[in-house]
């Protein structure tokens, strides 16, 4: 299996074997909604892979990975690390680089953002209401390690074959797809969990609400009615909360839960 170099919150790398095991073995087109770091897109066996996400910053980074050679990509990251003295301990260098990203067009590029997140708190991509990157420093934890460098190599090769779309799921039409040969995978923000993906991006992306959940489930049900096979990753219950919208939807449609 190939690991994404994004350390994306909610990534499915650790449970990929279990997920792939329950998917059909003869997928022609695999569509990865809410793709995040693309762990699913680059690993699920299929003839064609499509990945979409509403996060413009993320998709710009993925496009940048596709449009630059591996050697140039690694050289860019390493040159920025050297220029700002980035490390697990150098918070000052991180803050200087963060300021440069937010104020200087020279440093305001998708690959700069990726490099910054290698040293941010838990590798998070966090913006404030003014759309300034403001994730904190990942002291003693976050860095561009030799392991991460090694991870980029196979990822860079595989991401070349993924069709990327910066779209909200509602804007992605299935009209031109053969339902018998297409599989849909959904991994949305989880309504009843509290994490950076749901709440920490502030003005950059809309917070996931009951309405979003209902719209997504309606979209999936419509696809199901048209013959498309799908899988949905979600959370039914946490310690003190239940996703009643999801529970009702599952029961009404008698869907299987794994």
């Amino acid at each position: 299996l190939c690991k994404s170099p994004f350390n994306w919150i909610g990534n499915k790398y650790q449970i990929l074997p279990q997920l792939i095991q329950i998917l059909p073995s003869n997928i022609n087109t695999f569509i990865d909604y809410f793709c995040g770091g693309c762990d699913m897109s680059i690993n699920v066996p299929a003839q064609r892979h499509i990945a979409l996400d509403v996060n413009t910053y993320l998709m710009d980074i993925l496009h940048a990975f596709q449009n630059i050679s591996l050697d140039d990509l690694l050289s860019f990251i390493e040159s920025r690390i050297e220029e700002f003295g980035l490390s697990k301990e150098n918070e000052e260098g991180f803050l200087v680089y963060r300021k440069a990203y937010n104020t200087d067009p020279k440093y305001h590029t998708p690959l700069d953002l990726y490099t910054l997140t290698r040293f941010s708190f838990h590798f998070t991509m966090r913006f404030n209401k003014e759309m300034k990157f403001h994730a904190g420093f990942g002291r003693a934890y976050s860095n561009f390690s030799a392991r991460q460098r090694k991870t980029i190599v196979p990822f860079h090769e595989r991401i070349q074959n993924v069709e990327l779309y910066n779209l909200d799921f509602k804007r992605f039409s299935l009209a031109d797809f053969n339902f018998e040969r297409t599989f849909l995978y959904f991994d949305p923000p989880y309504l009843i969990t509290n994490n950076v993906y749901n709440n920490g991006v502030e003005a950059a992306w809309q917070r996931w609400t009951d309405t979003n959940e209902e719209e997504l489930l309606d979209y999936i049900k419509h696809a199901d009615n048209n013959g498309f096979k799908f899988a949905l990753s979600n959370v039914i219950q946490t310690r003190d909360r239940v996703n009643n919208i999801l529970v009702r939807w599952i029961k009404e449609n008698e869907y299987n839960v794994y």
Side-chain angles (χ1 to χ4, degrees):
L1 295 175
C2 178
K3 189 178 189 301
S4 169
F6 282 81
N7 306 87
W8 199 251
I9 292 175
N11 78 79
K12 296 297 179 286
Y13 180 74
Q14 297 297 331
I15 60 171
L16 271 172
Q18 298 96 303
L19 287 173
I20 292 175
Q21 186 176 14
I22 64 174
L23 299 183
S25 59
N26 60 340
I27 300 173
N28 180 276
T29 300
F30 180 78
I31 305 177
D32 186 5
Y33 294 77
F34 309 92
C35 66
C38 286
D39 281 293
M40 293 293 286
S41 300
I42 62 173
N43 284 292
V44 172
Q47 297 299 310
R48 181 185 181 190
H49 296 84
I50 296 173
L52 57 143
D53 203 293
V54 73
N55 185 328
T56 301
Y57 293 96
L58 169 67
M59 300 309 286
D60 284 348
I61 295 173
L62 289 170
H63 278 294
F65 270 56
Q66 288 185 331
N67 296 324
I68 189 172
S69 71
L70 177 62
D71 288 343
D72 287 346
L73 170 60
L74 293 173
S75 177
F76 178 93
I77 296 170
E78 290 163 356
S79 68
R80 289 293 200 248
I81 291 173
E82 181 178 359
E83 180 177 355
F84 291 95
L86 301 175
S87 71
K88 290 192 290 186
E89 305 299 333
N90 187 5
E91 182 173 6
E92 181 181 357
F94 171 81
L95 294 177
V96 170
Y97 189 20
R98 189 180 71 179
K99 182 178 180 180
Y101 173 81
N102 286 327
T103 60
D104 187 341
K106 174 184 175 182
Y107 297 99
H108 193 80
T109 73
L111 292 182
D112 280 300
L113 179 57
Y114 175 77
T115 307
L116 262 175
T117 61
R118 298 310 85 203
F119 297 87
S120 67
F121 180 72
H122 284 278
F123 307 103
T124 51
M125 187 185 299
R126 188 182 179 102
F127 292 80
N128 62 21
K129 293 179 180 179
E130 287 73 43
M131 301 308 299
K132 302 294 186 182
F133 180 77
H134 76 149
F137 177 56
R139 179 177 298 280
Y141 177 78
S142 300
N143 74 110
F144 187 63
S145 64
R147 183 178 179 182
Q148 285 197 30
R149 191 184 193 283
K150 186 177 179 180
T151 298
I152 283 181
V153 176
F155 179 85
H156 182 270
E157 179 180 357
R158 294 199 187 188
I159 199 64
Q160 305 304 316
N161 300 316
V162 179
E163 300 171 40
L164 301 171
Y165 293 91
N166 183 202
L167 286 175
D168 180 88
F169 70 90
K170 296 189 295 293
R171 294 180 56 204
F172 190 82
S173 172
L174 295 170
D176 295 329
F177 292 90
N178 183 331
F179 70 86
E180 294 180 331
R181 308 186 69 193
T182 302
F183 191 86
L184 318 179
Y185 176 69
F186 301 86
D187 186 21
Y190 302 149
L191 183 65
I192 60 173
T193 63
N194 183 25
N195 57 45
V196 174
Y197 190 94
N198 279 1
N199 307 316
V201 217
E202 298 181 10
W205 298 279
Q206 182 182 22
R207 181 176 178 177
W208 196 256
T209 66
D210 287 6
T211 299
N212 298 127
E213 187 85 352
E214 291 169 346
E215 289 176 344
L216 174 62
L217 298 181
D218 286 345
Y219 180 96
I220 297 174
K221 178 57 181 173
H222 180 73
D224 178 36
N225 289 341
N226 283 284
F228 287 93
K229 295 181 175 64
F230 73 90
L232 167 67
S233 292
N234 215 314
V235 174
I236 292 176
Q237 184 174 356
T238 61
R239 183 175 302 176
D240 57 350
R241 299 183 67 188
V242 176
N243 186 337
N244 292 309
I245 297 172
L246 180 60
V247 170
R248 182 172 61 252
W249 181 79
I250 292 171
K251 289 182 178 179
E252 288 176 351
N253 296 288
E254 299 181 343
Y255 289 134
N256 296 322
V257 177
Y258 296 90

